[in-house]
Coordinates of all heavy atoms in Angstrom, one line a residue:
I658 N 29.3 18.7 -11.8 CA 29.9 19.5 -10.6 C 31.1 18.6 -10.2 O 31.2 17.4 -10.4 CB 29.0 19.8 -9.5 CG1 28.4 18.5 -9.0 CG2 27.8 20.7 -10.1 CD1 27.5 18.7 -7.7
V659 N 31.8 19.3 -9.3 CA 32.9 18.6 -8.7 C 32.4 18.1 -7.4 O 31.8 18.9 -6.6 CB 34.2 19.5 -8.4 CG1 35.2 18.8 -7.6 CG2 34.7 20.1 -9.7
A660 N 32.5 16.8 -7.1 CA 31.9 16.2 -5.8 C 32.5 16.8 -4.6 O 33.7 17.1 -4.5 CB 32.3 14.7 -5.8
G661 N 31.6 17.1 -3.7 CA 32.0 17.6 -2.4 C 32.3 19.0 -2.4 O 32.7 19.5 -1.2
V662 N 32.2 19.8 -3.4 CA 32.4 21.2 -3.4 C 31.1 22.0 -3.4 O 30.3 21.8 -4.3 CB 33.4 21.6 -4.6 CG1 33.7 23.1 -4.6 CG2 34.7 20.8 -4.5
Y663 N 31.1 23.0 -2.5 CA 29.9 23.9 -2.4 C 30.3 25.3 -2.0 O 31.1 25.4 -1.0 CB 28.8 23.4 -1.5 CG 27.5 24.1 -1.6 CD1 26.6 23.8 -2.7 CD2 27.1 25.0 -0.7 CE1 25.4 24.5 -2.8 CE2 25.8 25.7 -0.7 CZ 25.1 25.4 -1.8 OH 23.9 26.2 -1.8
P664 N 29.9 26.4 -2.7 CA 29.2 26.4 -3.9 C 29.7 25.5 -4.9 O 31.0 25.4 -5.1 CB 29.2 28.0 -4.3 CG 29.4 28.6 -3.0 CD 30.4 27.7 -2.3
Y665 N 28.8 25.2 -5.9 CA 29.2 24.2 -7.0 C 30.3 24.7 -7.9 O 30.2 26.0 -8.2 CB 27.9 23.7 -7.8 CG 26.8 23.1 -6.9 CD1 25.5 23.7 -7.0 CD2 27.0 22.2 -6.0 CE1 24.5 23.3 -6.2 CE2 26.1 21.7 -5.1 CZ 24.7 22.2 -5.3 OH 23.7 21.7 -4.6
Q666 N 31.2 23.9 -8.3 CA 32.1 24.2 -9.4 C 31.9 23.2 -10.6 O 31.8 22.0 -10.3 CB 33.5 24.2 -8.8 CG 33.8 25.3 -7.9 CD 35.3 25.2 -7.4 OE1 35.9 24.2 -7.5 NE2 35.9 26.4 -7.0
S667 N 32.2 23.7 -11.7 CA 32.3 22.9 -12.8 C 33.6 22.1 -12.9 O 34.7 22.9 -12.4 CB 32.1 23.6 -14.2 OG 30.8 24.2 -14.3
P668 N 33.7 20.9 -13.2 CA 35.0 20.3 -13.3 C 36.1 20.9 -14.4 O 35.6 21.3 -15.3 CB 34.7 18.9 -13.7 CG 33.4 19.0 -14.4 CD 32.7 20.1 -13.8
S669 N 37.3 20.9 -14.1 CA 38.2 21.3 -15.0 C 38.8 20.1 -15.9 O 38.3 19.1 -15.6 CB 39.5 22.1 -14.3 OG 40.1 21.0 -13.6
S670 N 39.6 20.4 -16.8 CA 40.2 19.2 -17.6 C 40.9 18.3 -16.8 O 41.1 17.1 -17.2 CB 41.0 19.8 -18.8 OG 42.1 20.6 -18.2
S671 N 41.5 18.8 -15.6 CA 42.2 17.7 -14.9 C 41.5 17.2 -13.7 O 42.0 16.5 -12.8 CB 43.4 18.5 -14.3 OG 43.1 19.7 -13.5
T672 N 40.1 17.5 -13.6 CA 39.3 16.9 -12.6 C 39.1 15.4 -12.8 O 38.7 15.0 -14.0 CB 37.9 17.6 -12.4 OG1 38.2 19.0 -12.1 CG2 37.3 17.1 -11.3
P673 N 39.5 14.5 -11.8 CA 39.3 13.0 -12.2 C 37.8 12.7 -12.4 O 36.9 13.3 -11.8 CB 39.9 12.4 -11.0 CG 39.8 13.5 -9.8 CD 40.0 14.8 -10.6
A674 N 37.6 11.7 -13.2 CA 36.3 11.2 -13.5 C 35.5 10.9 -12.2 O 34.3 11.1 -12.1 CB 36.3 10.0 -14.4
S675 N 36.3 10.3 -11.2 CA 35.5 9.9 -10.0 C 35.1 11.1 -9.1 O 34.2 11.0 -8.3 CB 36.5 9.0 -9.2 OG 37.7 9.8 -8.8
S676 N 35.6 12.3 -9.4 CA 35.2 13.5 -8.8 C 34.2 14.3 -9.5 O 33.7 15.4 -9.0 CB 36.4 14.3 -8.4 OG 37.2 13.7 -7.5
V677 N 33.7 13.8 -10.7 CA 32.8 14.5 -11.5 C 31.5 13.9 -11.3 O 31.3 12.7 -11.5 CB 33.3 14.5 -13.0 CG1 32.1 15.1 -13.8 CG2 34.5 15.2 -13.2
V678 N 30.4 14.7 -10.9 CA 29.1 14.2 -10.6 C 28.2 14.9 -11.7 O 28.1 16.1 -11.9 CB 28.6 14.5 -9.3 CG1 27.2 14.2 -9.1 CG2 29.5 14.0 -8.2
S690 N 31.4 28.8 -11.2 CA 32.9 28.8 -11.4 C 33.4 27.5 -11.8 O 32.7 26.5 -11.7 CB 33.5 29.3 -10.1 OG 33.5 28.4 -9.1
T691 N 34.7 27.4 -12.2 CA 35.3 26.2 -12.8 C 36.4 25.8 -11.8 O 37.1 26.7 -11.4 CB 35.8 26.3 -14.2 OG1 34.7 26.6 -15.0 CG2 36.5 25.0 -14.6
A692 N 36.5 24.6 -11.5 CA 37.7 24.1 -10.5 C 38.9 24.5 -11.2 O 39.1 24.5 -12.5 CB 37.5 22.6 -10.3
A693 N 39.9 24.8 -10.4 CA 41.2 25.1 -10.8 C 41.9 23.8 -11.3 O 41.5 22.6 -11.0 CB 42.1 25.7 -9.7
E694 N 42.9 24.1 -12.1 CA 43.6 22.8 -12.7 C 44.4 22.1 -11.5 O 44.6 22.8 -10.5 CB 44.7 23.2 -13.8 CG 44.0 23.8 -15.0 CD 43.1 22.7 -15.8 OE1 43.5 21.5 -15.5 OE2 42.1 23.1 -16.3
A695 N 44.7 20.9 -11.7 CA 45.1 20.1 -10.6 C 46.5 20.6 -10.1 O 47.4 20.7 -11.0 CB 45.1 18.6 -10.9
T696 N 46.7 20.6 -8.8 CA 48.1 20.8 -8.3 C 48.2 19.8 -7.2 O 47.2 19.2 -6.7 CB 48.3 22.2 -7.6 OG1 47.2 22.4 -6.7 CG2 48.1 23.3 -8.6
I697 N 49.5 19.5 -6.8 CA 49.8 18.6 -5.8 C 50.9 19.1 -4.8 O 51.8 19.8 -5.3 CB 50.1 17.2 -6.4 CG1 49.9 16.1 -5.3 CG2 51.4 17.2 -7.0 CD1 49.9 14.7 -6.0
Y720 N 50.8 12.5 3.2 CA 50.2 13.6 2.3 C 49.2 14.4 3.2 O 48.3 13.9 3.9 CB 49.5 13.1 1.1 CG 49.3 14.2 0.1 CD1 50.2 14.8 -0.8 CD2 47.9 14.8 0.1 CE1 49.8 15.8 -1.6 CE2 47.7 15.8 -0.8 CZ 48.5 16.3 -1.7 OH 48.2 17.3 -2.5
D721 N 49.3 15.8 3.1 CA 48.3 16.7 3.9 C 47.2 16.9 3.1 O 47.2 17.5 2.0 CB 49.1 18.0 4.0 CG 48.3 18.9 4.9 OD1 47.1 18.6 5.5 OD2 48.6 20.2 4.9
T722 N 46.0 16.4 3.5 CA 44.7 16.4 2.9 C 43.9 17.6 3.4 O 42.7 17.7 3.1 CB 43.9 15.2 3.0 OG1 43.7 15.0 4.5 CG2 44.6 14.0 2.4
S723 N 44.4 18.5 4.2 CA 43.7 19.5 4.8 C 43.1 20.5 3.8 O 42.1 21.2 4.1 CB 44.4 20.3 5.9 OG 45.6 20.9 5.3
S724 N 43.8 20.6 2.7 CA 43.3 21.5 1.6 C 42.2 20.8 0.8 O 41.8 21.5 -0.3 CB 44.5 21.8 0.8 OG 45.1 20.7 0.2
G725 N 41.8 19.6 1.1 CA 40.7 19.0 0.3 C 41.2 17.9 -0.6 O 42.5 17.8 -0.8
T726 N 40.3 17.2 -1.2 CA 40.7 16.1 -2.2 C 39.9 16.3 -3.5 O 39.3 15.4 -3.9 CB 40.5 14.7 -1.5 OG1 39.2 14.6 -1.1 CG2 41.4 14.5 -0.4
T727 N 39.8 17.6 -3.9 CA 39.2 18.0 -5.1 C 39.5 17.1 -6.2 O 38.5 16.8 -7.1 CB 39.3 19.4 -5.4 OG1 38.9 20.1 -4.3 CG2 38.5 19.8 -6.6
Y728 N 40.7 16.7 -6.3 CA 41.1 16.1 -7.6 C 41.2 14.5 -7.3 O 42.0 13.8 -8.1 CB 42.5 16.6 -8.0 CG 42.4 18.1 -8.1 CD1 43.0 19.0 -7.2 CD2 41.9 18.6 -9.3 CE1 42.8 20.3 -7.3 CE2 41.7 20.1 -9.4 CZ 42.3 20.8 -8.4 OH 42.1 22.2 -8.5
G729 N 40.7 14.0 -6.3 CA 40.6 12.6 -6.0 C 41.7 12.2 -5.0 O 42.3 13.0 -4.4
T730 N 41.9 10.9 -5.0 CA 42.7 10.3 -3.9 C 44.2 10.5 -4.4 O 44.6 10.2 -5.5 CB 42.4 8.8 -3.8 OG1 41.1 8.7 -3.5 CG2 43.2 8.2 -2.6
V731 N 45.0 10.7 -3.4 CA 46.5 10.8 -3.6 C 47.2 9.5 -3.2 O 46.8 8.8 -2.2 CB 47.2 11.9 -2.7 CG1 48.7 11.8 -2.8 CG2 46.6 13.3 -3.1
Y773 N 48.1 11.8 -8.0 CA 46.7 11.5 -8.0 C 46.2 10.3 -8.6 O 46.9 9.9 -9.7 CB 45.8 12.7 -8.6 CG 45.8 14.0 -7.8 CD1 46.4 15.1 -8.2 CD2 45.1 14.0 -6.6 CE1 46.5 16.3 -7.5 CE2 45.1 15.2 -5.8 CZ 45.8 16.3 -6.2 OH 45.8 17.4 -5.6
A774 N 45.4 9.5 -8.0 CA 45.1 8.1 -8.6 C 44.6 8.1 -10.0 O 45.0 7.2 -10.8 CB 44.1 7.4 -7.7
E775 N 43.8 9.1 -10.3 CA 43.2 9.2 -11.6 C 43.8 10.2 -12.6 O 43.3 10.5 -13.6 CB 41.7 9.4 -11.5 CG 41.1 8.3 -10.8 CD 39.5 8.5 -10.7 OE1 39.0 8.7 -11.8 OE2 39.0 8.5 -9.5
L776 N 44.9 10.9 -12.2 CA 45.4 12.0 -12.9 C 46.8 11.8 -13.2 O 47.5 11.3 -12.2 CB 45.2 13.3 -12.3 CG 43.7 13.8 -12.2 CD1 43.6 15.2 -11.5 CD2 43.0 13.9 -13.6

Side-chain angles (χ1 to χ4, degrees):
I658 62 172
V659 179
V662 177
Y663 189 77
Y665 305 129
Q666 288 185 337
S667 296
S669 66
S670 60
S671 60
T672 304
S675 62
S676 296
V677 177
V678 178
S690 64
T691 301
E694 294 298 331
T696 59
I697 198 165
Y720 190 83
D721 182 9
T722 60
S723 61
S724 59
T726 55
T727 301
Y728 306 101
T730 304
V731 172
Y773 286 112
E775 297 181 52
L776 296 177

